[in-house]
Amino acid sequence: MSPETVRVFVGCDPNDCDLEQMLVLEHSLRRHASLPVDIRWMQLSSNPDSPWYSDPARRAGWRTERWATPFSGFRWAIPAVCGYQGRAIYMDTDTIVLDDIAGLWRAPIDDGAIVLARRDKSFSRFCVSLWDCAAARAHLPAATQLRADPDAHGNCMKYFQRHPQLIGAIDPAYNNIDGEHQPIENIKILHYSDMGTQFSHAHAMPRLRAEGREHWFDGKLLPHPRRDLADLFERTYAEALAAGRKLDDYRNPTPFGAFAKKSERGHRGNRVTRPGLLARVGRFFGS
């Protein structure tokens, strides 16, 4: 693969709950990209040969029971999956790309840093991040250890909290959380992070009910406070369909089935979507 092919790893649900998000992300990413893009969907798999293999009944492969999402811990294995070579971008699936991804892909990573991520005062957000895969090898647990340890996700977050010098600061516009009082033209990647207010729910929830399924998010659904961002999602969704993309293109041919994860019945969102509540920092860890 050419070094100018942008490798983008996306964490998403393995049971077709995130189809709308996947469709919007890919359409928006490719629409603005000036470089070739290789998107790799990271989904729990029952295939032992998959890097995302998990068998909850046997407690084999990835242990997800302490994750907030079906993919929370996958991001730490990306350098290993890349053979500790080159660069790789990670994104949660609940994102809309509004700028050329080449700007992030080619961003300089300072000496001593192994990843670019958004740094906010006392913590960092890795929900959009750029990895130097070779440099990360000395600091991340082996993939086998990541998979076997249900606390690996939280432990990696804590490790980087203790070693902030490993994190280069990303332009916050590449991980804009739910608008943050910024006009759309100032946003490069919109992360509609509050799981209770995600725009895709308006489509996914009725679709899943019609299919006799349930969404993995079990918290309370609320309207998003930014109507303009909701309209942006709807426009991008309609454009993707008009361009020939179909939800069925994103269906998992072998849905994973039941898996363990934390309940989000008490999900408190963030300070942008719910300014009346003090959103806990820990909620960003699982986004």
Side-chain angles (χ1 to χ4, degrees), residues 173-184:
Y174 283 115
N175 189 9
N176 176 286
I177 306 297
D178 284 298
E180 298 184 83
H181 311 296
Q182 292 289 322
I184 290 174

Side-chain angles (χ1 to χ4, degrees), residues 250-271:
Y250 300 90
R251 288 189 183 274
N252 189 344
T254 54
F256 185 78
F259 57 88
K261 65 176 291 295
K262 291 194 307 181
S263 171
E264 290 299 318
R265 292 187 182 92
H267 183 67
R268 295 170 63 182
N270 59 58
R271 294 179 180 88

Side-chain angles (χ1 to χ4, degrees), residues 16-37:
D16 299 337
C17 295
D18 295 342
L19 302 182
E20 291 80 5
Q21 295 183 359
M22 296 163 74
L23 179 144
V24 165
L25 185 154
E26 178 163 17
H27 179 74
S28 64
L29 174 58
R30 294 192 185 280
R31 177 185 175 188
H32 295 284
S34 63
L35 294 173
V37 176

Side-chain angles (χ1 to χ4, degrees), residues 52-168:
W52 320 118
Y53 167 69
S54 178
D55 184 342
R58 296 176 53 242
R59 295 192 173 186
W62 286 95
R63 298 284 302 277
T64 64
E65 56 262 41
R66 297 182 186 171
W67 294 2
T69 73
F71 49 83
S72 297
F74 286 164
R75 68 200 73 186
W76 313 111
I78 290 171
V81 171
C82 292
Y84 299 106
Q85 296 180 0
R87 291 184 164 204
I89 290 173
Y90 170 75
M91 280 193 269
D92 286 354
T93 190
D94 51 346
T95 49
I96 305 176
V97 181
L98 301 173
D99 194 66
D100 187 353
I101 199 66
L104 175 57
W105 181 249
R106 291 171 171 166
I109 300 178
D110 296 338
D111 289 344
I114 67 172
V115 62
L116 295 187
R118 181 162 173 180
R119 297 177 61 174
D120 287 338
K121 294 183 180 179
S122 61
F123 64 99
S124 297
R125 298 175 178 149
F126 294 87
C127 33
V128 176
S129 47
L130 171 67
W131 288 95
D132 179 335
C133 297
R137 186 170 199 164
H139 296 277
L140 291 174
T144 52
Q145 183 179 346
L146 288 169
R147 288 195 295 265
D149 183 1
D151 290 316
H153 177 51
N155 289 339
C156 285
M157 291 297 302
K158 292 174 185 175
Y159 180 82
F160 282 97
Q161 280 183 283
R162 295 193 303 270
H163 300 89
Q165 73 278 7
L166 298 176
I167 308 167

